[in-house]
Amino acid sequence: MSTEVWFAPGRANLMGEHTDYNEGFVLPFALAQGVTATATARADGLLALRSKQKPDDPVTVSLDALAPGAVNGSAPGSAPGAVNGYAPGSVPGWAAYPAGVAWALRAAGFDISGASIDIDSDLPVGAGVSSSAALECSVALALCSLSGLSVPREQLALIAKRAENEFVGAPTGIIDQSAALLCQEGHAMLLDCGTLARTQVPFRPSAAGAVALIIDTRVTHALVSGEYAARRTECEEAARLLGVPALGLVADAGAVEALADPVLRRRARHVITDSARARSIASALQRDGDRGEGAGRGDAGGGRRGEGAGSGDAGGGRDGEGVETYRYVGGLLTEGHVSLRDDFEVSWPQADAAVDVAIGSGAYGAKMIGGGFGGSVLALIPVEREATVRSLLSETFSERGWTAPEFLDAVPSPAARRLGHADR
Ligand code: GLA
């Protein structure tokens, strides 16, 4: 029997929230923290799932009960679509993610074997750092490896997303799985969620004397809850009224004035401006990286649809060049947060307070990351201000009677990788 050990990282997103399912741009980077799946092949067609974080909740399912043909039928006495209790929506809790991946791999025609899989994670759950995609992707890679399958990572991202959409029932976009599988160390990845074209741009805050800090506000969110889906529906409605296939394809934020409904106008404005901000940050980081290398590689915007790559200017000359770039990026982070708070209305009090306190104590900028209604804030901070930012945040949360925030270093790290392999 062979054993495979695979790790997939969580992610933070510099810009482009709720733009992925609107075919706009996103700019995530992979974290050092993530999920490890240790998988041993088994010949009985079962998938036995255990998690160190959920010791009382092991789940064993039969792969055949997850078969693509079975999930469209219905078993007597069960919910529509359920067969042997293991159809979409029926595998309980955390195990739905790995079981969904096995289902989606088989639905895509990949003949995977049964496996015993042990999960371990150092990512907080429900904190907006994509622990679910890290779980899906580590399991997807482990299952493929055990069965000797080499599936292109772009395809694996779509398979893992399908698991989340159709098996778990969360109508999410493609950013999280793409980040876990395709990011590069020391880079953020500009992804065009319409075409799936991607560009890696240098992102090394430490080289500019800065740190990227994740502030977990300890308010947890769930993407299967109704608000995420409601935002998605509003965006689709706004696109329909504007006569475009998706809001991310609109370049001119002024176009939203054609929408009579003020709520839809705000939602559309957020998506269009956040997507533009993602491109602006990518261009600034690319220019900064080029200057650092003394090369002139041009912009990172990809030139899609003939737009300019970014509206802003990173400013600064060679001296203190990195500092100016990161100050500029920080300013855009804060703009992004204001847009999520006021136009998209997915922020929450602890996130707004964290952004204000971080900026007030010296951060270049900060924004909530992920789907919203709970989770984390990402702040870009000059290294000499980091300790102050942390302590003022803890103080503010305590004064307001909120659970103390937790902090994670957000170091741009490599994508998913194999940690080990053994044949027994
Ligand atoms: C969650 C979803 C993503 C994306 C973000 C918001 O993380 O999983 O697909 O929509 O929210 O940017």
Side-chain angles (χ1 to χ4, degrees):
M1 281 294 171
S2 67
T3 295
E4 289 279 343
V5 187
W6 284 81
F7 170 87
R11 62 102 191 89
N13 187 18
L14 278 174
M15 194 56 62
E17 301 296 0
H18 290 266
T19 51
D20 58 353
Y21 56 80
N22 286 301
E23 299 188 28
F25 285 88
V26 294
L27 188 61
F29 60 96
L31 300 175
Q33 300 85 349
V35 173
T36 303
T38 303
T40 304
R42 47 193 293 164
D44 58 6
L46 295 179
L47 197 59
L49 303 164
R50 289 190 308 187
S51 163
K52 210 168 184 177
Q53 284 66 43
K54 298 266 181 192
D56 302 328
D57 199 8
V59 172
T60 299
V61 297
S62 154
L63 283 179
D64 283 342
L66 304 170
V71 297
N72 294 320
S74 63
S78 60
V83 170
N84 296 337
Y86 300 135
S90 71
V91 175
W94 73 274
Y97 296 91
V101 163
W103 168 78
L105 278 167
R106 284 164 62 107
F110 295 108
D111 187 17
I112 51 163
S113 75
S116 296
I117 307 184
D118 286 328
I119 299 297
D120 195 3
S121 169
D122 61 355
L123 281 173
V125 172
V129 289
S130 219
S131 58
S132 47
L135 174 56
E136 291 155 11
C137 294
S138 60
V139 167
L141 287 161
L143 284 173
C144 287
S145 249
L146 280 182
S147 296
L149 299 163
S150 131
V151 183
R153 286 189 169 209
E154 293 82 355
Q155 188 181 359
L156 215 51
L158 290 165
I159 288 171
K161 172 182 181 287
R162 185 174 178 205
E164 185 148 347
N165 294 162
E166 295 180 35
F167 201 90
V168 179
T172 50
I174 191 68
I175 178 180
D176 302 336
Q177 295 81 6
S178 303
L181 291 168
L182 298 166
C183 279
Q184 285 178 10
E185 184 172 15
H187 290 77
M189 178 175 72
L190 182 69
L191 179 69
D192 177 339
C193 298
T195 64
L196 298 185
R198 57 185 196 273
T199 312
Q200 307 285 345
V201 296
F203 178 56
R204 291 186 197 86
S206 58
V211 290
L213 180 70
I214 290 174
I215 304 151
D216 177 358
T217 68
R218 307 299 309 288
V219 178
T220 55
H221 73 147
L223 296 173
V224 281
S225 73
E227 291 284 5
Y228 185 93
R231 291 298 179 282
R232 198 172 169 150
T233 305
E234 287 167 346
C235 290
E236 283 160 8
E237 176 64 2
R240 193 185 65 76
L241 291 169
L242 290 174
V244 290
L247 288 178
L249 303 174
V250 180
D252 172 16
V256 306
E257 298 309 325
L259 293 166
D261 182 308
V263 173
L264 294 187
R265 209 182 306 141
R266 289 203 300 276
R267 303 295 188 254
R269 186 167 52 217
H270 165 73
V271 171
I272 297 166
T273 58
D274 229 40
S275 189
R277 276 186 289 273
R279 302 183 80 197
S280 298
I281 293 180
S283 296
L285 290 173
Q286 187 64 67
R287 276 197 298 273
D288 191 55
D290 289 346
R291 276 199 305 260
E293 284 165 20
R297 281 194 33 220
D299 78 59
R304 185 176 73 151
R305 301 185 286 269
E307 300 159 37
S311 53
D313 177 5
R318 281 300 305 159
D319 289 338
E321 97 256 345
V323 173
E324 280 316 306
T325 299
Y326 282 82
R327 195 190 301 284
Y328 165 77
V329 170
L332 286 185
L333 292 193
T334 307
E335 265 183 37
H337 184 77
V338 169
S339 177
L340 286 158
R341 186 191 66 198
D342 298 346
D343 278 346
F344 217 63
E345 297 179 278
V346 291
S347 190
W348 62 104
Q350 286 83 343
D352 296 339
V355 167
D356 289 348
V357 170
I359 294 168
S361 43
Y364 292 140
K367 69 181 269 280
M368 55 153 281
I369 53 173
F373 305 104
S376 296
V377 160
L378 175 71
L380 206 50
I381 311 169
V383 70
E384 66 278 9
R385 303 298 301 168
E386 186 190 359
T388 311
V389 171
R390 285 185 186 229
S391 71
L392 287 177
L393 279 164
S394 301
E395 222 172 87
T396 304
F397 273 51
S398 151
E399 274 164 20
R400 302 203 184 173
W402 294 337
T403 306
E406 281 185 8
F407 302 104
L408 268 81
D409 288 328
V411 178
S413 298
R417 54 207 179 266
R418 184 154 87 169
L419 298 184
H421 163 83
D423 275 312
R424 274 184 274 139

